[in-house]
Amino acid sequence: MADPRVARGGATLTLTPDGAAGLEIFYLEAIRQALFEEMERDPRVFVLGQDVGVYGGAFKVTEGLQERFGKERVLDTPLSEEAIVGGAIGAAMRGMRPVAEMQFIDFISRAFDLLTNFAAKNRYRTGVGVPMVVRGPCGGGVHGGPFHSQNRRSGADLTIVTYGAMVWTALEAAEILERDGVSAEVLDLRTLLPLDEEAILASVRRTGKCLVLHEDTRTGGLGAEIAATLSEKAFEWLDGPILRVTAPDTPVPYSPPLEEAFLPNVNTLLAAARKLVRY
Amino acid sequence: VPVVSGMLLADRMQGKHTVGMTYLGDGGTSVGAFHEGINFAAVQKLPLVLILEFNGRAYSTPYEKQCAARTLADKAVGYGIPGVVVDGNDALMVYEVARAAVDRARAGGGPTILECKTYRMKGHAEHDAQAYVDAEELAVWRARDPLARLEAALDASGAMPAAERRRVHDEIESRLDEDVAFAEASPFPDPALAFRGVYADEGILERGRAGVFTGGL
């Protein structure tokens, strides 16, 4: 029987809860590993989505899971996000712990009504919670590489707060800045909710300057939320404006040169960082 | 419909033999979730009985502006499941047909769409005087009152004497009166409850990163 656990270079690696340090794996492998462990541990956990079974998911996150756990616990659904999310909601309310896969996270908007008006509010309305996970891949471009769980770089002159694939852009920019004698700290948020507010505040209180970098569009984005929080809680430590480097308020373009222009990159980041350092 | 399908899926995984029954009006069948949910239930052969209460209207919108199908039950063909039309004001008939659908679901036959033809005697809600409804049509349907028909059937069969029906009726009325009195005597809830029941960690808003109550100062 195929073992879906993390396999790199022919070797199978088994992560331990605290033993992950030093092991570099892809995000999708970490997700597969987590699914595997939870499905082994808890018979209530099951996966449902499009092509998650024999095919192993569009990005191979669920590869090998159906072979291991069977067709019911790794359930292929119709092309139907409302059925996937609605089915997960119903199953969660009846004692299961579903993990619903959106083949691309963009498709999640097809189930917006069920997520916002049902899953998110049911506990408030009726006292019955909906313990479920909805997951899917997101992010533009091909700049993203493997992530290490502790991507972080210390610095004294400014803080770059970011997450996801932009961590690599930030680290690259920080190396270039270092050659210019500018010491940039890179903070990888890793999760947006919960937001590690303490880490952001601690870093900005040390450096006095903050730049938020994200792939998401600008208006009403997480950058604005972080800027508002810093303004509320670190105002007296700030030595310059809080800057945002983000995508513009447009859809993601398809053509490669257009997408390159859409996404923040090292050059746009460097320009903003230098401006902030000079301030 | 998709949520009930998920519930039935969960019960099947847990070895429980549940049959699910859920209700929609004519308007509800125009929503995408109806299609996605019933299609999913049909593919999975889930034990679902979907009751479509056809009352001719969704709020003020008449059926002919809602759906071009001859009947709502016709939709079943597209999902590969049975669709049955029944006189929704004939309680005994509805029972028989629903019973057959439940038996079928229990035996592993999958979902059934059951369309009950009925009528909406009052507006969409209390504020709606339904001036858009034809008075003559309303009178025709008033004569088809399902309660009166059931009572007549009970009289004809002798299954439930009139005195016994009166007793049940009075009992229900007095229970309703008690509940209304209880509700009216109850105080309004504490405003602090508005912030409860959202997160598993109940204190998160007060301690919250956004400092909801203090603006962070």
Side-chain angles (χ1 to χ4, degrees):
Chain A
M1 184 178 289
D3 190 330
R5 280 177 293 186
V6 174
R8 293 289 298 276
T12 297
L13 305 173
T14 304
L15 299 184
T16 56
D18 57 349
L23 180 63
E24 190 165 295
I25 61 171
F26 287 95
Y27 263 22
L28 75 87
E29 292 169 332
I31 296 167
R32 186 191 302 136
Q33 175 76 15
L35 288 172
F36 175 86
E37 288 177 9
E38 290 303 310
M39 291 178 77
E40 281 278 288
R41 193 178 64 78
D42 185 347
R44 299 174 304 172
V45 177
F46 76 104
V47 174
L48 71 167
Q50 293 156 31
D51 309 305
V52 296
V54 178
Y55 188 61
F59 290 89
K60 302 293 169 194
V61 166
T62 53
E63 191 162 47
L65 290 180
Q66 190 179 68
E67 206 177 327
R68 178 90 176 199
F69 297 105
K71 285 186 176 174
E72 197 164 49
R73 289 185 72 198
V74 185
L75 187 78
D76 281 317
T77 67
L79 199 162
S80 199
E81 283 75 22
E82 283 191 279
I84 297 166
V85 171
I89 291 170
M93 291 170 73
R94 296 289 283 186
M96 298 299 285
R97 295 291 180 265
V99 180
E101 175 171 308
M102 300 285 102
Q103 200 160 73
F104 292 83
I105 205 66
D106 313 52
F107 303 159
I108 201 171
S109 52
R110 289 216 61 264
F112 190 68
D113 178 42
L114 282 160
L115 280 169
T116 57
N117 289 324
F118 202 131
K121 297 195 179 88
N122 201 59
R123 187 162 187 272
Y124 196 64
R125 291 171 59 216
T126 70
V128 178
V130 184
M132 62 188 270
V133 173
V134 182
R135 54 152 296 273
C138 72
V142 289
H143 307 301
F147 290 37
H148 195 275
S149 59
Q150 295 291 330
N151 262 321
R152 220 173 147 168
R153 177 194 169 98
S154 297
D157 298 331
L158 84 156
T159 302
I160 301 172
V161 179
T162 190
Y163 58 92
M166 284 292 120
V167 169
W168 295 94
T169 307
L171 289 171
E172 197 182 332
E175 275 175 33
I176 296 169
L177 287 169
E178 190 168 29
R179 281 182 238 137
D180 301 347
V182 174
S183 157
E185 179 146 309
V186 176
L187 190 58
D188 175 8
L189 292 173
R190 298 171 66 206
T191 65
L192 307 185
L193 193 71
L195 180 67
D196 193 352
E197 187 182 292
E198 290 312 312
I200 298 169
L201 289 172
S203 174
V204 174
R205 281 169 182 162
R206 266 189 286 105
T207 63
K209 290 182 176 175
C210 182
L211 191 156
V212 187
L213 169 69
H214 61 58
E215 276 187 71
D216 191 10
T217 52
R218 188 175 183 84
T219 303
L222 191 80
E225 183 59 34
I226 290 172
T229 302
L230 287 169
S231 175
E232 283 173 352
K233 299 189 177 174
F235 187 75
E236 281 152 42
W237 284 269
L238 289 172
D239 295 323
I242 302 153
L243 296 187
R244 286 173 292 169
V245 177
T246 72
D249 291 336
T250 70
V252 185
Y254 177 69
S255 157
L258 299 188
E259 191 183 10
E260 296 280 341
F262 168 87
L263 287 171
N265 59 44
V266 172
N267 291 333
T268 51
L269 179 59
L270 281 173
R274 286 175 176 143
K275 183 178 157 192
L276 184 57
V277 167
R278 279 198 307 271
Y279 186 86
Chain B
V1 182
V3 173
V4 175
S5 299
M7 290 175 159
L8 295 171
L9 187 69
D11 282 10
R12 186 169 71 191
M13 293 172 88
Q14 295 168 15
K16 295 177 195 159
H17 301 282
T18 313
V19 175
M21 198 177 258
T22 190
Y23 296 76
L24 279 183
D26 355 350
T29 62
S30 300
V31 174
F34 163 82
H35 162 73
E36 300 197 19
I38 193 71
N39 183 56
F40 183 46
V43 168
Q44 287 293 327
K45 281 200 176 300
L46 295 172
L48 173 67
V49 179
L50 184 58
I51 311 284
L52 302 181
E53 286 180 296
F54 176 97
N55 61 22
R57 276 195 178 72
Y59 211 146
S60 74
T61 308
Y63 180 69
E64 57 272 22
K65 299 284 184 203
Q66 191 69 248
C67 177
R70 194 175 49 91
T71 70
L72 291 174
D74 279 359
K75 292 172 188 254
V77 177
Y79 306 113
I81 62 174
V84 184
V85 183
V86 63
D87 176 355
N89 283 15
D90 183 339
L92 296 177
M93 185 65 82
V94 170
Y95 173 81
E96 271 184 41
V97 178
R99 178 69 194 251
V102 168
D103 287 344
R104 184 173 176 277
R106 210 169 258 149
T112 300
I113 286 178
L114 183 50
E115 177 180 0
C116 301
K117 297 279 194 191
T118 184
Y119 204 76
R120 196 183 71 194
M121 300 311 291
K122 295 183 82 178
H124 179 70
E126 285 302 322
H127 66 268
D128 176 18
Q130 63 173 3
Y132 46 83
V133 172
D134 181 56
E136 278 178 36
E137 198 175 90
L138 209 54
V140 168
W141 279 93
R142 189 160 285 121
R144 299 176 184 164
D145 183 347
L147 294 177
R149 285 169 71 183
L150 181 59
E151 291 199 82
L154 290 173
D155 280 339
S157 67
M160 193 180 194
E164 173 67 3
R165 291 211 301 275
R166 169 59 47 196
R167 197 190 58 73
V168 171
H169 180 268
D170 291 348
E171 192 185 308
I172 292 169
E173 283 291 333
S174 78
R175 235 188 270 171
L176 286 173
D177 289 345
E178 279 170 35
D179 289 349
V180 169
F182 173 78
E184 287 179 342
S186 299
F188 279 103
D190 179 351
L193 276 178
F195 308 109
R196 299 270 149 196
V198 182
Y199 300 99
D201 175 0
E202 290 287 8
I204 198 167
L205 284 177
E206 285 87 341
R207 297 193 315 275
R209 48 162 299 278
V212 199
F213 302 118
T214 61
L217 298 176

